Amino acid sequence: MTAQLIDGNALSAQIRADVARRTRALKERGLTPGLAVILVGEDPASQVYVRHKVKDSEESGLHSVLDRHPASLSEAALLARIAQLNADPAIHGILVQLPLPRHIDANKVIAAIAPTKDVDGFHVASAGALMVGQPGFWPCTPYGCMKMLESIGYDLRGKNAVVLGRSNIVGKPMAMMLLQKNATVTICHSATPDLRSHTLRADVIVAAVGKRNILTADMVKPGAVVIDVGMNRNDEGKLCGDVDFPGVREVAGWITPVPGGVGPMTRAMLLVNTLEAAERCLPKPQ
Ligand code: GUN
């Protein structure tokens, strides 16, 4: 069997078109969604990421501000800048690109972002809201993975889902989202012995470890859905995920490619969160 592809490029294009449509409607009511992206330092990968985020926003009609600072910026100055953006009515979403220079405490910085503008979903208030099923912002990568499952009409109720990786940004929120849809969820991590015994029972596997070939064909139940969050380089320097794609696609029922899978979905969900942050500012209909 060869798995069907879940095409992140095509799905994210649909989502961005919907964001553009809803943004036009908001603008007609006098409100332009605004995103501030803060970059501290010169990390080359971060520079590429923030440029994409600003470009995506503009293409969907959102207002965006790229707020660049030297690596020498003090923590106090960054906190002051965030306070300013928290109070700025033209800004609905604030994203601080990680990693930050070592002299800045990322937890303190994320905590300073107003939860109503936390479009990355990294604030403890956002994490708590997800955990208890209250409205809030969901981290973009696991949110994008849920949209991919939704796009194939996959009903998670009663299914076994295995998440590989326990990061605060992907693994843990992913598990909460799958649980909310009534899957039976297992989180595996670096101290899990015998990964294969878990993955072989899984109907859905989300690989978010950051290690090439962590999931191979012998670890996958025939017909399973495999979502690959990894972003690694192979020996030729080509982008690849955590999954041995050529092997696993012969066993899985559905699979996401890298590139063209979860990556574009993460970018699209940031736009959705920013748009929704703006929509929540509208007066409620009487
Ligand atoms: N660095 C790598 N990925 C991300 C992300 O999704 N958000 C932020 N803020 N920083 C990142």
Side-chain angles (χ1 to χ4, degrees):
M1 180 163 92
T2 301
Q4 296 194 59
L5 276 191
I6 309 179
D7 182 345
N9 284 328
L11 182 58
S12 67
Q14 282 175 25
I15 292 172
R16 282 183 279 112
D18 185 56
V19 167
R21 184 187 56 72
R22 284 161 67 190
T23 298
R24 281 194 298 277
L26 264 191
K27 284 177 165 173
E28 279 167 19
R29 299 178 65 180
L31 184 61
T32 302
L35 172 68
V37 180
I38 301 178
L39 175 63
V40 184
E42 310 285 332
D43 179 70
S46 291
Q47 293 192 38
V48 173
Y49 289 143
V50 298
R51 246 186 278 126
H52 283 156
K53 288 168 185 174
V54 169
K55 178 169 160 276
D56 290 347
S57 306
E58 283 166 3
E59 283 175 2
S60 292
L62 283 71
H63 162 63
S64 70
V65 177
L66 175 52
D67 208 54
R68 296 188 63 150
H69 302 274
S72 59
L73 184 77
S74 70
E75 185 181 275
L78 178 55
L79 294 173
R81 179 62 183 138
I82 290 170
Q84 231 175 26
L85 292 165
N86 281 341
D88 184 343
I91 295 298
H92 304 92
I94 302 170
L95 181 151
V96 179
Q97 187 65 28
L98 302 177
L100 286 166
R102 289 232 300 274
H103 65 278
I104 299 179
D105 179 347
N107 288 328
K108 211 162 153 185
V109 169
I110 293 166
I113 298 171
T116 50
K117 298 192 178 188
D118 176 37
V119 288
D120 247 341
F122 292 173
H123 195 288
V124 290
S126 304
L130 168 60
M131 182 137 179
V132 297
Q134 285 181 12
F137 293 109
W138 285 7
C140 301
T141 298
Y143 193 7
C145 294
M146 292 304 285
K147 287 284 173 193
M148 292 177 115
L149 288 169
E150 196 183 301
S151 77
I152 60 168
Y154 195 81
D155 182 5
L156 283 158
R157 171 174 287 273
K159 298 294 198 313
N160 287 325
V162 169
V163 179
L164 306 181
R166 56 172 157 182
S167 70
N168 291 335
I169 297 178
V170 184
K172 285 185 212 168
M174 185 79 246
M176 285 298 136
M177 292 173 200
L178 293 163
L179 185 61
Q180 203 176 95
K181 294 288 182 192
N182 301 306
T184 302
V185 183
T186 304
I187 306 178
C188 298
H189 47 77
S190 50
T192 304
D194 194 9
L195 268 189
R196 184 169 178 268
S197 67
H198 296 281
T199 57
L200 267 182
R201 287 188 294 110
D203 302 299
V204 176
I205 303 171
V206 180
V209 171
K211 216 178 206 176
R212 188 152 66 97
N213 294 341
I214 192 87
L215 190 76
T216 48
D218 60 304
M219 299 166 74
V220 176
K221 177 163 99 171
V225 182
V226 175
I227 298 192
D228 191 350
V229 179
M231 286 268 246
N232 310 298
R233 298 272 167 192
N234 67 12
D235 295 335
E236 291 93 59
K238 268 178 57 182
L239 198 62
C240 65
D242 286 356
V243 174
D244 170 30
F245 184 85
V248 171
R249 81 175 304 182
E250 298 306 324
V251 182
W254 295 88
I255 190 167
T256 69
V258 176
V262 174
M265 293 300 295
T266 297
R267 286 168 60 176
M269 298 325 290
L270 174 65
L271 304 178
V272 170
N273 279 348
T274 305
L275 170 69
E276 290 183 357
E279 285 175 345
R280 289 175 198 176
C281 292
L282 286 175
K284 299 259 176 310
Q286 292 303 306

